[in-house]
Structures are given as C-alpha cells and as structure tokens.
C-alpha cells in the first residue's frame, strides 16, 4: 500500500482557483466541513446539512474531484489492498466512529480555503443532530386514558424522583440516528398538538414488536427523557409557537416517528423550549428550581437534583460552553487534551448561585450564571452547603 498523498497548501490554492477542476458543489462540501466542530463529519452528516438526499452525492463529488486532480497533477495516490485508489484522502484524513467514517479536513486544505477568501462569511454550524418523535393518542390511548393504567403519570413520577426516565420509541431514521442525538417528543393527531418531552437517544436502533401488538417488528431506539409533560394536565409547546423563523420550515406533525429536525431550526427550538419551560406553570417542571427547593439526592450523584436541572438543560449548557469552552474554570483541566477524541466536549456545567437563595423568579443567563467545571471540581464545589465559590476552590488548590 502506498503512503497517503501529501498536497501542499500552495498546491491546494492553485487547485481551488482552477474552475475546470473544482466545481461549486466541491467547494460547498469543503466549506460545510470547515464550518463544523473540529472540521470533521461523516458523508451522511454532510449530505444532511447541505440538503442532499444521501451520502452518495458527497462521496461521488469527492471521488470525481480526486480523479480530475490525478489527470492534471503527478501525485502518488494511496492504493487499497484490492488495487483501487482511495481518492478521498487528497483532502481528508479520517477514522471510523462506530459504523460511520469521519472525514477530517487536512490542515493544508483549511489554510488554502482561508487564503483564497472562501471562508470569510462562513458561520460555525453545530453537528448536534436532533429527531422528532411522535405520539398519537388515537393510536395509543393507554398512555393517558383514565380508564386504563395512566402510564405517563408513572413515567413522570419516576422522572421527578430519579431525574430521568428511559422509554422505547419507534424511529423512522434508524439508519442514521446515533446514541447521544437530541430527541423531542410531539403529540399529534388531536389537540393540543405540540412538543411535550425532550431528552437524548441512548441506544443504537434495534428491532422490537410494533406498539399495536401486531406480529411485526419495527426499528426503535431508547430515549432518556429529561422533560416529560402530560398533555392532558400540563401546558405543552404548541405548534402555533413553532411557526416563525427557521422553525416554520420544519414539519412538526409528521406521520412517522423519529424524523430528522433541520439543523437550522434546532438552536431556535432549544431556545423556544427553554423559555417555555422557564415561564409556564407546570405541575412538575424539571427546570423550575425557583419553587422546588426540596433537597432530593440520587445515590452516587455529586450534586442535588435541584442544583443540576438548569445545568443539564441543552440550551443553557450550549450557550455557556460556546462562551467559555471546555476547560475547567477551577483547575483548567481539559478532557480532550488528555484523552483525545474520547474526551471531546466532555465537561460538567456548574450553577454559580443556588437558585433557592433568590427571592423571586429570574431569567437564567448562561454566561453570567453557569461555568464549565470538571467532575472532580464540581464535587468539591458542592462538598459544603452553601457551595464553595470557584475562587474559593482555586485558593484551596493553591494551598
């Protein structure tokens, strides 16, 4: 097998400026991956962000450009064991993440894109994928039917007592969904229609019996919910509130469960969901720390459930980490620097002020109220009540 080809930054500049070689879609692929975290993504992710039907469009464009470069430039290209050429590694290094191959933009190509002025108006894009799951009461009424066991109330009670509830749900996007992806649950069919749950996917897709009991299996995933409301008793985020900006471009009442949420709509959805939970009077609101001051503990947890609710809210957490990054505010430990890709974007988020000490409702400010901290420092901050301040813990470390 030949070595991986090396193209200098100056050669990449020459290639990028050659309109006979580089087509608009080729540039679009490079610019899209440039905009992402760590400037890496799978072909499936790139296709979804760009709006192409599947990854084959991305792979085809990359291979086509590689072939055109080989015709014009005398560059030794790596060959596979079967003798075929790996044309993608002109532009990328890469690795497997589960079953997905991740392309990483080569530094020389990154510098060439910048030098050619092809990155000046590019805004960062989050690769957080999100999916919309649906519940149709007319199809599965047992979840809230008062004449049957009200499962949803038991689920909500478990969430209240333990901080999470894991449920199995049908998933149309079983070929692309992954553990860690964001999940929202919407009620469709009958009014009120809208979002009443959120969480994250915690399993690979698997086959399980259809909810109706029919003798057939359908793809499903496990979802760990951090918010779950009862549409019969609680307000929900109705679709009337999702008809503005990029939210209006998303289908909120799909026929199938587990459809992809558009990337450009996700940040707006997270903000809308956050504000809804903060302002609504809900029987059990996991982010209403103002009224819930009971000290509920989970075995093995370093902090009180009441202290961590805002901390694990996706919108608040993301805004905090966009501003401060992923190094500990106390000891400066950074998981990615020590553990590599295993520690990528791993950090806790700490609430600076105990909400129970505030005398009135307030709007949480992720920049003013939250800080990234490593798990060790997070535990030490909460070692006493009231918690230590970040500066106090820094002094302890110095001593």
């Amino acid at each position: 097998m030949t070595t991986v080809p090396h193209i200098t930054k100056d050669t990449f500049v020459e290639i990028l400026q050659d309109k006979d070689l580089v087509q608009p879609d080729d540039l679009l692929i490079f610019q899209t991956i440039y905009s992402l975290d760590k400037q890496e993504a799978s072909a499936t992710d790139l296709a979804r962000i760009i709006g192409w039907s599947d990854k084959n469009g991305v792979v085809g464009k990359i291979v086509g450009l590689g072939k055109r470069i080989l015709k014009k430039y005398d560059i030794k290209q790596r060959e596979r064991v079967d003798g075929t050429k790996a044309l993608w590694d002109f532009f990328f290094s890469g690795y497997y993440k589960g079953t997905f191959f991740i392309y990483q933009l080569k530094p020389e190509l990154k510098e060439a894109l910048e030098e050619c002025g092809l990155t000046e108006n590019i805004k960062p894009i989050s690769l957080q994928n999100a999916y919309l799951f649906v519940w149709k009461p007319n199809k599965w009424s047992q979840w809230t039917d008062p004449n049957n066991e009200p499962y949803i109330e038991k689920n909500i009670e478990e969430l209240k007592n333990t901080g999470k509830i894991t449920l199995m749900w049908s998933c149309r996007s079983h070929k692309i969904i992954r553990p860690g992806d964001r999940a929202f649950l919407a009620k469709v069919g009958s009014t009120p229609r809208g979002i009443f749950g959120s969480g994250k996917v915690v399993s690979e897709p698997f086959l399980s019996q259809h909810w109706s009991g029919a003798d057939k299996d359908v793809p499903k995933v496990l979802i760990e919910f951090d918010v779950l409301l009862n549409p019969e008793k609680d307000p929900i985020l109705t679709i009337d509130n999702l008809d503005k900006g990029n939210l209006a471009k998303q289908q909120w009442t799909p026929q199938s469960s587990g459809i992809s949420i558009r990337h450009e709509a996700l940040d707006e959805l997270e903000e809308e969901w956050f504000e809804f939970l903060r302002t609504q009077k809900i029987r059990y609101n996991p982010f209403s720390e103002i009224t819930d001051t009971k000290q509920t503990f989970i075995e093995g947890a370093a902090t009180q459930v009441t202290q961590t609710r805002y901390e694990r809210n996706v919108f608040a957490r993301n805004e905090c980490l966009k501003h401060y990054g992923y190094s500990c505010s106390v000891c400066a430990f950074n998981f990615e620097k020590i553990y590599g890709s295993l520690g990528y974007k791993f950090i806790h988020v700490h609430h600076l002020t105990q909400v129970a000490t505030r005398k009135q409702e307030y709007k949480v400010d992720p920049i003013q109220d939250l800080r990234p901290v490593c798990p060790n420092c997070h535990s030490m901050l909460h070692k006493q009540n009231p918690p230590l301040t970040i500066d106090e813990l820094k002094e302890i470390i110095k001593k």
Side-chain angles (χ1 to χ4, degrees):
M1 183 180 291
T2 57
T3 58
V4 176
H6 176 74
I7 301 178
T8 66
K9 184 260 294 182
D10 290 339
T11 301
F12 269 130
V13 168
E14 185 178 306
I15 290 171
L16 290 171
Q17 293 175 338
D18 189 335
K19 293 184 179 180
D20 292 331
L21 280 180
V22 181
Q23 299 171 356
D25 281 347
D26 303 325
L27 285 178
L28 182 57
I29 291 172
F30 295 150
Q31 290 171 321
T32 300
I33 200 168
Y34 179 92
S35 70
L36 298 171
D37 291 335
K38 298 182 72 175
Q39 295 168 337
E40 64 177 38
S42 68
T44 299
D45 287 327
L46 289 169
R48 186 187 299 118
I49 296 169
I50 293 171
W52 294 343
S53 59
D54 57 45
K55 69 177 183 180
N56 293 330
V58 173
V59 175
K61 293 294 181 183
I62 292 172
V63 171
L65 178 57
K67 288 180 177 179
R68 293 194 295 275
I69 289 174
L70 276 180
K71 288 182 179 180
K72 185 168 183 177
Y73 291 86
D74 183 20
I75 300 173
K76 290 185 178 180
Q77 183 60 14
R78 181 171 66 88
E79 293 185 357
R80 301 185 181 94
V81 176
D82 62 3
T84 60
K85 297 182 185 297
L87 296 166
W88 60 267
D89 60 6
F90 276 136
F91 323 105
F92 310 107
S93 54
Y95 65 95
Y96 275 97
K97 195 173 189 178
T99 59
F100 290 87
F101 187 79
I102 307 299
Y103 294 115
Q104 295 176 309
L105 195 66
K106 284 190 172 180
E108 296 83 4
L109 178 52
K110 171 182 176 292
E111 293 172 6
L113 287 165
E114 292 170 343
E115 185 169 315
C116 291
L118 297 171
T119 62
E120 292 176 356
N121 297 317
I122 293 179
K123 296 181 179 179
I125 298 175
S126 171
L127 198 53
Q128 172 75 57
N129 295 324
Y131 297 86
L132 183 67
F133 296 83
V134 298
W135 172 52
K136 301 175 182 178
N138 62 326
K139 298 289 187 180
W140 187 36
S141 62
Q142 293 92 334
W143 209 23
T144 56
D145 190 339
N147 296 320
N148 293 280
E149 189 174 12
Y151 293 113
I152 192 172
E153 285 296 307
K154 288 193 171 185
N155 295 152
I156 292 172
E157 183 68 20
E158 182 178 343
L159 176 59
K160 176 181 178 181
N161 292 334
T162 68
K164 63 182 180 181
I165 176 69
T166 303
L167 302 174
M168 182 169 56
W169 224 269
S170 299
C171 182
R172 174 183 175 181
S173 302
H174 59 277
K175 292 183 178 180
I176 57 175
I177 199 167
R178 311 177 200 174
D181 286 340
R182 187 76 163 126
F184 287 88
L185 183 59
K187 177 175 176 283
V188 299
S190 59
T191 56
R193 297 180 301 165
I195 294 174
F196 67 102
S198 65
K200 64 179 178 180
V201 177
V202 293
S203 77
E204 296 286 351
F206 57 90
L207 291 176
S208 183
Q209 187 179 29
H210 191 266
W211 58 267
S212 66
D215 188 20
K216 63 177 180 179
D217 290 338
V218 295
K220 296 185 179 181
V221 293
L222 294 177
I223 303 172
E224 183 181 286
F225 286 94
D226 52 30
V227 178
L228 185 62
L229 310 175
N230 185 343
E232 299 297 321
K233 297 183 178 182
D234 299 311
I236 69 173
L237 181 60
T238 64
I239 58 174
D240 293 338
N241 295 306
L242 302 173
D243 63 351
K244 53 194 174 185
N246 287 314
L247 295 174
K249 302 175 183 178
Q250 176 69 38
Q251 170 59 266
W252 297 111
T253 57
Q255 293 299 311
S256 300
S257 182
I259 69 165
S260 180
I261 295 177
R262 301 167 69 102
H263 276 84
E264 61 268 30
L266 181 55
D267 284 346
E268 294 177 28
L269 174 59
E270 292 285 12
E271 183 171 6
E272 193 74 25
W273 183 233
F274 178 79
E275 285 302 303
F276 167 80
L277 293 172
R278 187 186 68 81
T279 57
Q280 293 297 310
K281 292 183 179 180
I282 299 169
R283 292 174 303 144
Y284 168 60
N285 188 336
F287 301 119
S288 288
E289 296 177 296
I290 311 305
T291 57
D292 185 1
T293 58
K294 181 180 178 181
Q295 293 187 359
T296 304
F297 292 85
I298 299 176
E299 184 178 0
T303 61
Q304 300 172 9
V305 173
T306 53
Q307 182 65 24
T308 60
R309 286 175 187 155
Y310 270 131
E311 295 165 17
R312 73 167 182 251
N313 177 269
V314 173
F315 176 73
R317 174 184 171 85
N318 287 349
E319 291 301 302
C320 169
L321 297 178
K322 281 180 187 177
H323 185 81
Y324 293 108
Y326 292 83
S327 295
C328 178
S329 298
V330 179
C331 68
F333 187 87
N334 183 289
F335 283 86
E336 185 179 9
K337 289 181 180 178
I338 302 300
Y339 297 105
S341 60
L342 181 65
Y344 176 55
K345 283 194 171 182
F346 181 81
I347 196 73
H348 283 193
V349 173
H350 170 64
H351 205 294
L352 293 181
T353 305
Q354 284 189 307
V355 181
T357 64
R358 296 181 182 263
K359 303 303 182 183
Q360 59 184 7
E361 184 176 349
Y362 78 106
K363 182 176 180 179
V364 66
D365 184 331
I367 309 303
Q368 298 297 322
D369 298 339
L370 305 179
R371 292 293 187 278
V373 293
C374 71
N376 284 348
C377 289
H378 204 183
S379 297
M380 293 300 101
L381 288 167
H382 287 279
K383 187 71 173 175
Q384 67 179 45
N385 189 18
L388 292 166
T389 68
I390 285 178
D391 287 338
E392 287 172 339
L393 189 55
K394 285 181 176 179
E395 286 300 316
I396 291 174
I397 293 175
K398 287 181 181 179
K399 292 178 182 179

